[in-house]
């Protein structure tokens, strides 16, 4: 039985109710978490507020940085344990779960270094005045985390918020919260004051909603679907609470005929296969210049057929999807493809060792997907790559920008001038040229335009979202 973590103590929910956690690899119940409610959120917000006004405010940037660094080291010491927890909870292959735990340690390392480097400005003004600006924390920040990368998204969201001087109340997804409960314990172990980091588990429509509504929450960082993002924004708007939204994507990988295909191919596959396609920045659309469309699809098809899906402990190319409803979602998209006569080029294979009751899905490559079809417009959030041809830069840009989203794009070309033209013309938060994802990029500002959201997390830029600016004008004469 896993409890909430509030004010450095484990606490049961006041509801007395729990939620069963399913292991995605076999669909069996393996743990229970608290089904928390508004009263639990209220307790966490009160603990956070007390900490913010007490122990936390006494720490200067250097001390805060040392605390975050101690947590980073402690996470690194517990890498095996966190990897095992995440693997069980989320069904991630070992390499992926370990990469997530490593990234979590790296986020806290990066933001530890940022704590004492956030400064304001001085502004020349009228004679006899001095004007300066201070970057101040919001106070108690709320963090709603999805299930696909709990540790990474917690690291970037909570790491940035703490570095900027805030305290945190975190609502993880009910499908994936065990690693975060453990990290909160580690934070207490290394000396985080009680109330600086609180975790309250439960359903989004109950405890997530209570967090978004709570008047004591000064800023909300939400990562998840555009639909819930809209709800959070509306709920928060009533009390004018600032929100950072990291929503979905339908990110294009654009391959020109002059591209180095040997470099592009593994990156294109990884961008849709990683975490079984359950990645907001998945490269889920493949735009290929007409002249190399057929040969590229042939190579890609062969590579897809070699992909293997199986239990996380086998550490294959893909593990299971998170839950049955996610599997059903992918099936619905694939049956729509059949109805629309969208050709399937190739599929990987689920290995025999995978239990029937697990949520496995073979990676699938589709071709000639009409740009207006929902497969080319909406997130599948599974391992389905949709290929389509284009002719010339203008059509590539029109297709790339022709969805409601704008999170990430990849461009593969050897032409230097075209690299810059494409990067300028694509509407998205990140553009990668001749690579995709840039090794995780803890340092690189991340976020979207259009329905992919707004505000930036990751990198130093995140600290802008996690602070507010105060202008101080002093009239001294002379
Ligand atoms: P989701 O349904 O929007 O859930 C995200 C989080 O919001 C979960 O913790 C969920 O709780 C909570 N939630 C649900 N309803 C809520 C409400 N009414 N009020 C407050 N919180 C609520 O998304 P998901 O299905 O977990 O994740 C997949 C989506 O997230 C995809 O669209 C993906 O692209 C996006 N995503 C974006 C990024 C990014 O950085 N841009 C990263 C990862 C995922 P419960 O699940 O416990 O109900
Ligand atoms: Mg789980």
């Amino acid at each position: 039985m896993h409890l909430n973590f509030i004010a450095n103590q484990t606490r049961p929910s006041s509801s007395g109710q729990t939620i069963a956690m399913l292991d995605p690899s076999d669909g069996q119940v393996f743990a229970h978490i608290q089904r928390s409610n508004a009263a639990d959120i209220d307790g966490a917000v009160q603990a956070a507020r007390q900490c913010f006004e007490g122990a936390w405010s006494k720490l200067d940037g250097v001390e805060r940085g040392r605390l975050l660094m101690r947590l980073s080291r402690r996470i690194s010491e517990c890498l095996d344990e966190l990897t095992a927890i995440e693997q069980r909870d989320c069904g991630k292959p070992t390499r992926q779960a370990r990469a997530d735990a490593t990234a979590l340690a790296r986020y806290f390392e990066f933001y530890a270094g940022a704590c004492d480097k956030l400064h304001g400005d001085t502004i020349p003004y009228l004679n006899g005045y001095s004007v300066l600006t201070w970057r101040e924390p919001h106070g108690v920040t709320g963090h709603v985390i999805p299930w696909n990368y709990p540790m990474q998204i917690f690291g970037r969201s909570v790491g940035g918020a703490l570095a900027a001087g805030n305290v945190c109340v975190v609502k993880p997804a009910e499908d994936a919260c065990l690693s975060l409960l453990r990290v909160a314990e580690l934070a207490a172990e290394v000396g985080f004051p009680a109330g600086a980091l609180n975790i309250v588990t439960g359903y989004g429509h109950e405890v997530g909603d209570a967090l978004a509504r709570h008047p004591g929450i000064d800023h909300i960082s939400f990562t998840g679907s555009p639909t819930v993002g809209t709800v959070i924004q509306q709920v928060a708007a009533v009390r004018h609470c600032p929100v950072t939204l990291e929503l979905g994507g339908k990110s294009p990988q654009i391959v020109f005929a002059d591209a180095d295909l040997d470099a592009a191919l593994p990156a294109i596959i990884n961008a849709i296969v990683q975490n079984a396609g359950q990645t907001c920045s998945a490269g889920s659309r493949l735009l290929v210049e007409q002249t190399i469309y057929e040969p590229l699809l042939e190579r890609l098809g062969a590579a897809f057929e070699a992909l293997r899906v199986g239990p996380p402990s086998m550490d294959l190319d893909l593990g299971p999807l998170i839950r049955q409803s996610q599997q059903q979602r992918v099936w619905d998209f694939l049956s729509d493809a059949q109805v629309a006569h969208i050709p399937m080029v190739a599929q990987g294979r689920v290995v025999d060792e995978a239990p029937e009751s697990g949520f496995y899905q073979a990676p699938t490559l589709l071709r000639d997907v009409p740009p207006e079809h929902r497969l080319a417009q909406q997130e599948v959030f599974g391992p389905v790559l949709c290929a389509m041809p284009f002719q010339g830069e203008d059509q590539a840009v029109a297709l790339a920008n022709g969805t409601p989203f704008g999170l990430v794009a990849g461009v593969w070309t050897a032409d230097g001038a075209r690299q810059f033209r494409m990067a300028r013309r694509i509407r998205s938060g990140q553009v990668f040229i001749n690579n995709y994802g840039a090794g995780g990029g803890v340092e690189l500002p991340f976020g979207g335009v259009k329905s992919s959201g707004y505000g930036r997390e990751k990198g130093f830029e995140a600290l802008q979202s996690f602070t507010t600016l105060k202008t101080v004008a002093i009239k001294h004469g002379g």
Side-chain angles (χ1 to χ4, degrees):
M1 172 73 71
H2 297 271
L3 303 178
N4 289 330
F5 197 83
I6 298 171
N8 283 359
Q9 289 174 348
T10 49
R11 284 194 203 165
S13 164
S14 55
S15 74
Q17 293 180 306
T18 59
I19 300 171
M21 309 277 285
L22 301 187
D23 181 339
S25 74
D26 59 12
Q28 304 302 309
V29 174
F30 76 101
H32 288 83
I33 56 163
Q34 301 303 301
R35 180 176 173 178
S36 309
N37 55 25
D40 302 314
I41 283 288
D42 191 50
V45 172
Q46 280 185 33
R49 175 70 55 197
Q50 221 176 345
C51 180
F52 182 69
E53 284 168 7
W56 196 245
S57 68
K58 296 194 175 59
L59 298 176
D60 60 29
V62 178
E63 292 165 323
R64 225 170 43 242
R66 289 183 181 144
L67 209 48
L68 264 61
M69 195 62 209
R70 284 210 292 276
L71 178 56
S72 172
R73 290 207 190 97
R74 191 77 188 100
I75 290 165
S76 295
E77 286 165 9
C78 298
L79 224 52
D80 290 342
E81 182 195 356
L82 289 168
T83 300
I85 293 173
E86 201 73 334
Q87 187 159 36
R88 186 86 197 266
D89 202 2
C90 305
K92 290 175 189 256
T94 313
R95 271 168 301 159
Q96 183 63 53
R98 201 169 176 81
D100 288 6
T102 306
L104 174 66
R106 172 72 189 122
Y107 275 112
F108 278 97
E109 180 182 45
F110 178 85
Y111 283 117
C115 288
D116 59 353
K117 296 174 187 65
L118 189 61
H119 56 78
D121 216 342
T122 57
I123 300 173
Y125 195 52
L126 305 171
N127 281 339
Y129 284 81
S130 287
V131 178
L132 56 145
T133 59
W134 291 334
R135 287 238 147 249
E136 297 185 333
H138 294 291
V140 180
T141 53
H143 303 258
V144 181
I145 313 274
W147 45 262
N148 57 344
Y149 290 91
M151 284 196 279
Q152 293 214 35
I153 294 168
F154 173 91
R156 76 182 193 209
S157 180
V158 168
L162 291 171
N166 301 284
V167 293
C168 303
V169 177
V170 179
K171 204 301 270 181
E174 91 260 3
D175 286 310
C177 49
L178 302 187
S179 57
L180 305 189
L181 289 168
R182 181 68 185 123
V183 172
E185 284 175 359
L186 298 179
E189 267 176 50
V190 302
F192 272 56
L197 173 56
N198 309 279
I199 316 254
V200 185
T201 64
Y203 291 121
H205 62 277
E206 294 178 351
V207 74
D209 181 69
L211 180 139
R213 281 179 202 282
H214 199 291
I217 295 280
D218 301 313
H219 177 275
I220 300 170
S221 170
F222 171 78
T223 305
S225 62
T227 311
V228 177
T230 304
V231 172
I232 299 250
Q233 202 174 8
Q234 286 169 335
V235 165
V238 173
R239 56 196 171 81
H240 310 110
C241 174
V243 178
T244 298
L245 296 179
E246 300 280 9
L247 310 177
K250 191 74 189 174
S251 299
Q253 292 254 32
I254 306 163
V255 190
F256 286 90
D258 64 355
D260 175 354
L261 293 187
D262 291 339
L265 244 76
I268 288 167
I269 294 166
N270 186 55
I272 189 66
V273 159
Q274 179 178 319
N275 208 34
Q278 304 167 117
T279 305
C280 52
S281 55
S284 53
R285 289 187 298 149
L286 180 64
L287 280 41
V288 186
E289 195 160 19
Q290 182 77 60
T291 51
I292 58 160
Y293 190 56
E294 295 302 334
L296 189 141
L297 284 186
E298 197 172 315
R299 284 181 69 176
L300 208 51
F304 260 69
E305 273 165 13
L307 293 169
R308 292 291 169 265
V309 190
S313 56
M314 289 180 75
D315 204 14
L316 302 174
D317 302 301
L318 297 85
L321 301 176
I322 189 79
R323 57 176 180 236
Q324 203 277 324
S325 64
Q326 200 63 25
Q327 197 181 31
Q328 186 62 49
R329 180 181 167 88
V330 177
W331 291 343
D332 289 347
F333 271 100
L334 290 179
S335 80
D336 278 7
Q338 270 189 337
V339 171
H341 303 294
I342 294 171
M344 181 192 294
V345 180
Q347 258 192 332
R349 187 166 67 77
V350 179
V351 299
D352 297 340
E353 292 86 343
E356 291 261 315
S357 53
F359 312 132
Y360 299 92
Q361 170 60 45
T364 306
L365 174 60
L366 302 175
R367 60 173 289 167
D368 311 341
V369 179
E372 67 284 356
H373 192 276
R374 84 177 187 111
L375 264 157
Q377 290 288 323
Q378 297 174 15
E379 277 190 304
V380 177
F381 227 56
V384 179
L385 180 58
C386 297
M388 61 194 82
F390 71 82
Q391 282 179 313
E393 278 177 38
D394 286 348
Q395 195 186 9
V397 169
L399 287 172
N401 291 342
T403 76
F405 296 104
L407 192 58
V408 176
V411 180
W412 298 87
T413 176
D415 180 335
R418 176 189 279 155
Q419 293 170 0
F420 276 92
R421 280 195 302 272
M422 291 298 290
R424 281 238 190 249
R425 297 180 70 189
I426 290 171
R427 288 199 68 203
S428 66
Q430 289 188 327
V431 179
F432 295 101
I433 307 289
N434 292 335
N435 75 96
Y436 196 82
V442 167
E443 304 82 351
L444 311 182
F446 177 80
V449 298
K450 304 193 285 182
S451 289
S452 292
Y454 57 79
R456 293 293 176 264
E457 288 188 339
K458 302 173 78 159
F460 212 77
E461 183 70 21
L463 303 183
Q464 307 289 328
S465 303
F466 286 122
T467 51
T468 180
L469 191 82
K470 182 180 281 170
T471 304
V472 182
I474 303 157
K475 185 175 181 183
H476 43 64

